[in-house]
Amino acid sequence: MKEKVIFDTNIVRNPETNTFLGGREELKNFLQVADIVIPQVVIEEIKRQKHKKLQGNKDKFLSNPLHKILALNEDDTKSFNVETYIEELIVKEEFAFETIDIKDNNILPQIKDLAINKKPPFEAGDGTDKGFKDSLIYFSVLEYLQEIPNKNVFVCVKDGRLKEALDAHQNIIVVESYEEFKQKSVSQFYDEYFIQKVEKE
C-alpha cells in the first residue's frame, strides 16, 4: 500500500496559468511511491490566486491599445470565463490527487481556542490572527487520519507554525521535500537494490 502525503499551499501553489498545480517536479517524484492528498482549502486558495491573476490579465488585455490595433474581437475577450477555465485546468490536471475536507463542523471551538491562546498553527504574536487557513489544513489532516486504515501520514509543509502543530502528533511525519520524504519513508525499503542486498545477507 502506498504512503499518503498531504500537501500544504506553499508546496503546490502555482502562479502559472496553463496548469493547476505547482511544484510539478516534486509531485512527479512523490507520485512514483505515494498517493497525493490535498486539503480542499489548499485547492480553494490556488483557485483564488489563479482567478485574481487571470482576471487582472483579462482587464489589462481589454484596456491594451494593441487589442484594437490588432483588430481583435473585444467580445471574445469579454466572454472568456475565468472560473470555467480554472475548472478545466483541474479536470485536465495530469497528476492524480485526492482531496480532503473537514466534515465535522464541531471543531470551531477548538479553532477558537487555538486562535485565542496563540497556539500553533496560529502565529504567537499579539498583533496578528494569521493561521486560520493553516488551522483548517491542520484539522483536515487530523480528521483524515481517523478515516485511513494505517493511521499514519506524511505532510509536506514549509510553514513553521503549521509544522509545529503537526509535529505534536506521533503518527504525522512532517517533511519539506521529496528528498526528506525519502529519508523518513518506509517505502525506501521497497527499493529493488535494498531488497537484493537483504536477500544476499
Side-chain angles (χ1 to χ4, degrees):
M1 184 168 64
K2 282 186 172 183
E3 287 167 303
K4 307 279 187 185
V5 184
I6 302 171
F7 289 85
D8 177 32
T9 312
N10 292 338
I11 310 293
V12 293
R13 70 176 295 276
N14 183 13
E16 302 302 318
T17 53
N18 56 344
T19 54
F20 188 71
L21 295 174
R24 302 185 77 77
E25 283 305 310
E26 284 279 274
L27 289 179
K28 197 180 289 183
N29 289 330
F30 274 108
L31 267 176
Q32 294 173 33
V33 291
D35 291 326
I36 291 174
V37 181
I38 305 176
Q40 187 61 37
V41 67
V42 172
I43 297 293
E44 295 303 323
E45 179 64 7
I46 295 171
K47 284 164 79 170
R48 184 195 66 76
Q49 291 168 353
K50 284 199 184 305
H51 186 277
K52 184 178 178 184
K53 183 167 186 177
L54 283 165
Q55 189 62 51
N57 288 342
K58 179 181 173 181
D59 294 342
K60 282 182 200 167
F61 189 46
L62 280 166
S63 62
N64 192 318
L66 282 173
H67 206 268
K68 289 185 172 59
I69 292 168
L70 296 172
L72 297 172
N73 189 334
E74 203 170 281
D75 290 336
D76 288 344
T77 305
K78 285 179 179 174
S79 68
F80 175 75
N81 189 304
V82 172
E83 286 84 4
T84 301
Y85 179 74
I86 293 169
E87 292 303 323
E88 285 171 1
L89 287 180
I90 297 171
V91 171
K92 291 176 184 172
E93 180 54 66
E94 65 179 282
F95 297 129
F97 63 91
E98 175 186 355
T99 56
I100 58 172
D101 202 4
I102 296 169
K103 300 183 190 80
D104 181 7
N105 293 324
N106 296 318
I107 60 152
L108 191 57
Q110 294 174 66
I111 293 176
K112 189 170 89 173
D113 178 62
L114 293 175
I116 289 170
N117 293 298
K118 301 294 184 180
K119 293 178 183 174
F122 287 90
E123 292 294 323
D126 281 336
T128 179
D129 287 327
K130 184 178 177 288
F132 183 72
K133 278 186 291 192
D134 285 344
S135 73
L136 295 179
I137 292 169
Y138 173 68
F139 282 103
S140 294
V141 172
L142 295 185
E143 195 173 286
Y144 184 64
L145 273 170
Q146 304 310 310
E147 298 171 356
I148 58 174
N150 67 355
K151 306 296 182 210
N152 289 287
V153 292
F154 284 83
V155 181
C156 195
V157 60
K158 292 183 178 174
D159 182 275
R161 291 294 278 178
L162 180 54
K163 282 170 73 173
E164 196 179 330
L166 294 165
D167 271 334
H169 301 272
Q170 288 185 334
N171 50 349
I172 299 173
I173 303 163
V174 179
V175 295
E176 285 193 22
S177 65
Y178 177 69
E179 283 305 312
E180 191 179 352
F181 167 76
K182 273 199 322 188
Q183 292 165 11
K184 295 181 176 181
S185 168
V186 296
S187 64
Q188 66 179 302
F189 301 116
Y190 303 147
D191 179 79
E192 194 175 317
Y193 174 76
F194 179 83
I195 291 168
Q196 286 173 359
K197 290 287 281 183
V198 169
E199 287 174 348
K200 190 176 177 183
E201 289 299 320

